[in-house]
Amino acid sequence: MNTVEEYINPCRRRIVTRYNSLPEEKQKQIENIDKLPKDKIYLKPIKRKRKPEIHEGTIFAVKLPEDVFFFGKVICLNHNLPNIDKSFFVVFFFRHGSRSLDNYPTKLTKDNILIGPMMFGDGLWRNGTCYTVGFQPLTRYERKVNYGFYKHNILGGGKVIDVNGKLLKKEPIYLDFCAYTTIHGIESDFRREIIIDPSLISDVE
């Protein structure tokens, strides 16, 4: 049964619309993500880096419980997002899993983006959650990728803004909340994507 809400922000609307399009079995699995045992959802640490050097174009890995690596890329270091520390940056994850840290993609395209945009800090490198595996200068597409953030207004409503905090008149293709991404947020997002498309894991060699 479809969820009906009187008011819904664009991020929430997208989540609900996608959820409602799924078979009931997958809906139940998504609802129960937070009930999964730790060893079924927690990201595995790779290697701590006390003073990570992170640039636009940095490619990094995270390790899922299935011992599969997924890779992300930093596409923006400089932003003017409200209430977001300047040390945080924007990342996207590739639709690409691997058993090896050496087998990673380098260029984001409209066909290989899995998750994003997300706001990361270097603390995820210092605690070992993220590990840099390479670097590739940003492509023209990566510099122009159509993304934005939804900034909620405590008094009601909100607005969609770009990475410079400017109001967007149209919803971007990729949209997320204007907030830091926690480890739990990364874990939940990956688990949801794997529930929706199990081949993300099953097809990894």
Side-chain angles (χ1 to χ4, degrees):
M1 181 178 295
N2 287 354
T3 301
V4 178
E5 297 187 31
E6 183 176 352
Y7 170 77
I8 198 165
N9 70 51
C11 282
R12 178 67 179 161
R13 186 188 68 239
R14 292 184 184 201
I15 292 170
V16 171
T17 299
R18 192 180 187 201
Y19 172 87
N20 287 335
S21 71
L22 299 172
E24 185 176 350
E25 180 182 355
K26 289 184 182 289
Q27 290 181 359
K28 290 181 178 179
Q29 291 179 49
I30 289 174
E31 290 173 3
N32 291 322
I33 285 176
D34 287 340
K35 298 178 182 178
L36 289 171
K38 294 180 180 179
D39 62 347
K40 298 296 184 182
I41 188 171
Y42 278 20
L43 293 173
K44 294 185 175 182
I46 304 175
K47 185 178 181 180
R48 297 174 185 270
K49 187 72 172 178
R50 291 187 177 182
K51 296 182 179 180
E53 291 188 12
I54 299 168
H55 310 277
E56 290 183 353
T58 291
I59 301 168
F60 62 93
V62 296
K63 189 175 185 181
L64 273 59
E66 294 88 348
D67 289 326
V68 171
F69 297 104
F70 272 83
F71 304 92
K73 188 171 184 178
V74 177
I75 69 163
C76 181
L77 288 181
N78 301 311
H79 65 82
N80 287 299
L81 292 169
N83 302 321
I84 300 294
D85 191 282
K86 298 297 184 183
S87 65
F88 278 65
F89 40 86
V90 181
V91 308
F92 278 82
F93 276 98
F94 296 93
R95 181 180 290 274
H96 175 88
S98 175
R99 299 284 178 186
S100 169
L101 281 173
D102 297 323
N103 179 23
Y104 58 86
T106 59
K107 298 177 181 179
L108 290 164
T109 70
K110 64 180 182 179
D111 297 319
N112 73 359
I113 290 177
L114 178 64
I115 300 171
M118 286 181 160
M119 295 299 303
F120 275 22
D122 67 1
L124 292 170
W125 274 253
R126 289 186 279 109
N127 67 19
T129 300
C130 296
Y131 178 70
T132 296
V133 295
F135 172 84
Q136 182 71 30
L138 297 185
T139 64
R140 182 177 180 181
Y141 173 80
E142 289 167 340
R143 292 188 182 279
K144 300 293 184 180
V145 63
N146 186 13
Y147 71 93
F149 299 92
Y150 175 72
K151 177 63 178 173
H152 177 67
N153 187 335
I154 297 177
L155 299 178
K159 58 184 179 180
V160 177
I161 56 179
D162 67 13
V163 74
N164 294 309
K166 296 181 179 179
L167 183 67
L168 291 175
K169 295 181 179 180
K170 294 184 178 180
E171 282 188 30
I173 296 174
Y174 305 102
L175 180 68
D176 204 349
F177 294 99
C178 187
Y180 307 124
T181 304
T182 65
I183 294 177
H184 177 70
I186 305 169
E187 292 166 340
S188 296
D189 279 2
F190 267 105
R191 198 50 45 191
R192 182 191 63 243
E193 296 302 326
I194 292 167
I195 289 170
I196 294 172
D197 182 6
S199 68
L200 288 170
I201 293 295
S202 62
D203 290 353
V204 173
E205 298 179 353

